[in-house]
Each structure stands twice: as C-alpha cells, then as structure tokens.
C-alpha cells in the first residue's frame, strides 16, 4: 500500500476502525473510522481504473465504505437497511469495463453499487426474512459469457442458491429449497469446460451442474481468487485489470499479463463479455449489425 514492496495488512475491528498496518513490523500506516463494528472482510481492487488499489468494507453501521489504500481517505459510503457482515465481491457485472461492488445485508437485500461513485445500480430484495450473510460469487453460470451473481440465502421465500443476472439483478434461477448458508464456489470441477457450483448447509455439501452453464469465472465469494488464497485482492485474481481472471485467460488463450491481447484497443474482458474474439483485431467490425463498429461501441460505453 505504501510502495515499499512489502505486503501490508488491512483489518477491521469492533472499535469501528479499519486499520492498515506495516507488514514487516505491525506498526500503523493509517486508520479510517466507520460508525460501527467491522466484521466483514475487506476487498482490495481498482475502483476507478487508475491502477491504484482501493478498499471496500462493510460495517455494522449499515454502510458499505470505499477507502483509498494509500492514505485511508474515504471515497464514498452507501447506506443500507441493516448490518453488512459479509465480504463484498468485485467485478464488471454490466459489461462497461468498470468495477461494481456486490454485497448482501441482513436487510434481506443484495446490492450492486458502482465502484467509482458509490451509486446504486440495482438491488434484489429476497423477502422479509431472507438474509444474505454469505458473500456472492461472480461467474458465468448461464453460458452467455457474461458475469452472473451466485449467492446463498436462507429463510424462505427465497432461500437456496440464487443466480441473478449481473446486468439487471433479476432472478434467473433459484436452486434447491434448502437454505444455502456458505459462500458458493463456482468452478469447472470435472473438466468439461462448464462451471459447477458447490455450497453447503447443515453438514451437507451440494454440487450443481447445468448443461447450458458457462465457463468464465471471476470473483469467488469471500476468497476472491480461484486458488482460494483468501487475499480478497484483484491484483492476485486479475493482475492486468481487464476483468478476465487469470484462470479465464487460460481458457480464452489470452495473455494474463496484457489487458488487450490483440492490441485492438478493447480490453480482453470487455470483448469476452460482449461475445467478441479477444485474440483477433475485430475493432472495425460490427458484431451486432447496428451500424456502429465494435470500437465505437466500446468508446460510447
């Protein structure tokens, strides 16, 4: 965080403060105040495409906060109706090549907030007693190349494993009538190039596969990375910040060290989301035949 090439520590406390500590000796770099105990894990990522790391963390004062990691300055906060005790998940769920912050609350609602300005993009209300206490996973579970939100919920009417459209927040699937308490894992477990989902409840492990499922994955709930390092940082998951995880880059054949493998001025993740080929320069083609070239679509947003 302080450009000394030594890993530092970010941690929240019941005293309502978020602390940044030197990794080599534990001394304080900065602290940032919230209005309540911090029981959720912080997510570290680039919120505004400046290649600087920011910190998103929920608090029991019913707010999600974004702080600058270099000095702890608050960038924004978003208020919900109850505690936020789960870790936020980060990814481009709407295909605009910018990050969103997705998180649940004990107010029975799952939220998607624009990471740059803290404005709400959508929310999904599970029901009066449906708590979202697990962290959502962001992956393609429906086979369209776009990022879905997969999250566990418990207490009816919307208990079970939920799959939401990342762009709209609309419910696509509700799988199983049983509660889903854990953060789901979404990966290709059997080598068929299709994502499966694993979650647990009441000492039972569930594995679900759907034939039309996708293969792209991004942020694993609570962990962040597909290697489950528990670091919760975009740098480990997606070092070139193109919204294709390193694991997905291997599937697409793109370069995990370059955010634009084919040098067509459109990032690899944006091309994958919109059905383009990130391995060839197709910037001046018109994929959807709407009179605008692909590069024009990207620049317009």
């Amino acid at each position: 965080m302080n450009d000394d090439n030594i890993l530092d520590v970010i941690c929240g406390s019941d005293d309502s403060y978020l602390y940044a500590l030197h990794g080599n000796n534990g001394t304080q770099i900065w602290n940032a105040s919230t209005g309540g105990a911090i029981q959720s894990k912080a997510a570290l990522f680039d919120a505004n495409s400046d290649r600087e790391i920011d910190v998103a963390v929920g608090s029991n004062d019913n707010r999600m906060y974004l702080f600058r990691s270099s000095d702890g300055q608050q960038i924004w906060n978003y208020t919900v109706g109850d505690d936020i005790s789960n870790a936020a998940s980060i990814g481009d769920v709407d295909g605009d090549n910018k990050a969103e912050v997705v998180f649940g609350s004990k107010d029975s609602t799952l939220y998607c907030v624009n990471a740059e300005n803290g404005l709400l993009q959508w929310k999904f209300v599970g029901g009066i007693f449906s708590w979202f206490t697990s962290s959502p996973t962001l992956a393609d579970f429906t086979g369209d190349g776009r990022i879905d939100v997969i999250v566990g919920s418990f207490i009816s009417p919307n208990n079970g494993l939920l799959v939401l459209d990342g762009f709209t927040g609309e419910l696509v699937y509700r799988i199983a009538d049983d509660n889903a308490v854990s953060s789901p894992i979404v990966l290709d477990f059997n080598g068929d190039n299709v994502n499966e989902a694993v979650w647990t409840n009441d000492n039972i492990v569930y594995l679900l596969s759907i034939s039309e499922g996708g293969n792209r994955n991004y942020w694993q709930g609570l962990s962040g990375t597909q290697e489950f390092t528990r670091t919760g940082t975009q740098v480990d998951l997606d070092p070139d910040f193109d919204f294709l995880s390193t694991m997905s880059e291997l599937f697409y054949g793109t370069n995990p060290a370059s955010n634009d493998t084919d040098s067509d001025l459109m990032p690899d993740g944006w091309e994958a989301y919109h059905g383009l080929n990130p391995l060839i320069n197709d910037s001046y083609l018109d994929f959807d035949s709407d009179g605008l070239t692909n590069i024009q679509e990207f620049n317009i947003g």
Side-chain angles (χ1 to χ4, degrees):
M1 289 181 294
N2 54 359
D3 296 323
D4 61 0
N5 293 318
I6 298 175
L7 289 177
D8 300 309
V9 178
I10 293 278
C11 61
S13 171
D14 283 346
D15 67 2
S16 80
Y17 281 87
L18 184 71
Y19 292 92
L21 308 175
H22 285 286
N24 58 349
N25 57 26
T27 57
Q28 182 175 293
I29 302 172
W30 52 257
N31 67 68
S33 176
T34 72
I38 299 175
Q39 297 177 332
S40 72
K41 178 181 175 180
L44 283 69
F45 69 105
D46 179 7
N48 53 11
S49 304
D50 62 358
R51 295 298 181 99
E52 297 292 333
I53 295 300
D54 305 298
V55 184
V57 67
S59 172
N60 284 358
D61 69 348
N62 306 351
R63 290 184 176 93
M64 176 61 67
Y65 289 86
L66 185 73
F67 298 102
R68 199 163 57 193
S69 72
S70 58
D71 58 9
Q73 179 178 331
Q74 184 183 143
I75 300 173
W76 53 256
N77 70 74
Y78 183 82
T79 302
V80 300
D82 207 332
D83 294 348
I84 303 171
S85 58
N86 65 350
S89 296
I90 309 301
D92 177 16
V93 298
D94 62 359
D96 64 353
N97 196 46
K98 296 180 181 179
E100 285 79 46
V101 181
V102 184
F103 61 95
S105 169
K106 292 180 181 178
D107 66 0
S108 306
T109 305
L110 191 75
Y111 296 88
C112 177
V113 173
N114 184 301
E116 191 169 24
N117 55 31
L119 297 178
L120 180 69
Q121 294 197 191
W122 54 256
K123 63 181 180 180
F124 173 80
V125 180
I128 297 176
F129 299 110
S130 295
W131 287 6
F132 293 103
T133 56
S134 68
S135 296
T137 289
L138 308 184
D140 177 16
F141 203 66
T142 56
D144 59 3
R146 301 184 177 188
I147 296 298
D148 304 305
V149 178
I150 304 96
V151 65
S153 173
F154 69 99
I155 306 179
S156 63
N158 279 312
N159 59 324
L161 189 74
L162 308 182
V163 179
L164 307 180
D165 183 291
F167 186 80
T168 65
E170 295 178 355
L171 182 65
V172 179
Y173 297 115
R174 183 173 76 90
I175 302 161
D177 291 324
D178 203 356
N179 295 330
V181 177
S182 67
S183 297
I185 299 171
V186 179
L187 289 173
D188 175 14
F189 287 95
N190 59 7
D192 63 353
N193 291 326
V194 176
N195 282 328
E196 289 84 38
V198 170
W199 73 98
T200 64
N201 183 61
D202 290 337
N203 300 318
I204 300 174
V205 178
Y206 298 86
L207 187 147
L208 173 74
S209 177
I210 57 175
S211 58
E212 68 270 25
N215 46 54
R216 183 181 173 191
N217 50 63
Y218 200 69
W219 195 281
Q220 297 290 332
L222 189 61
S223 175
T225 65
Q226 280 79 34
E227 293 80 11
F228 302 98
T229 55
R230 300 295 186 189
T231 54
T233 173
Q234 188 181 18
V235 174
D236 289 344
L237 170 74
D238 178 15
D240 59 357
F241 296 94
D242 62 356
F243 295 106
L244 271 186
S245 67
T246 297
M247 183 173 289
S248 292
E249 301 251 21
L250 293 174
F251 176 82
Y252 281 97
T254 50
N255 183 356
S258 170
N259 66 0
D260 184 13
T261 299
D262 54 10
S263 301
D264 62 0
L265 303 181
M266 298 180 295
D268 295 339
W270 188 88
E271 292 201 67
Y273 184 99
H274 292 279
L276 306 181
N277 188 340
L279 298 177
I280 64 171
N281 186 338
D282 49 6
S283 59
Y284 292 99
L285 300 180
D286 181 6
F287 177 75
D288 54 4
S289 303
D290 64 352
L292 293 174
T293 63
N294 296 331
I295 189 65
Q296 286 175 323
E297 300 249 16
F298 172 73
N299 289 331
I300 291 172

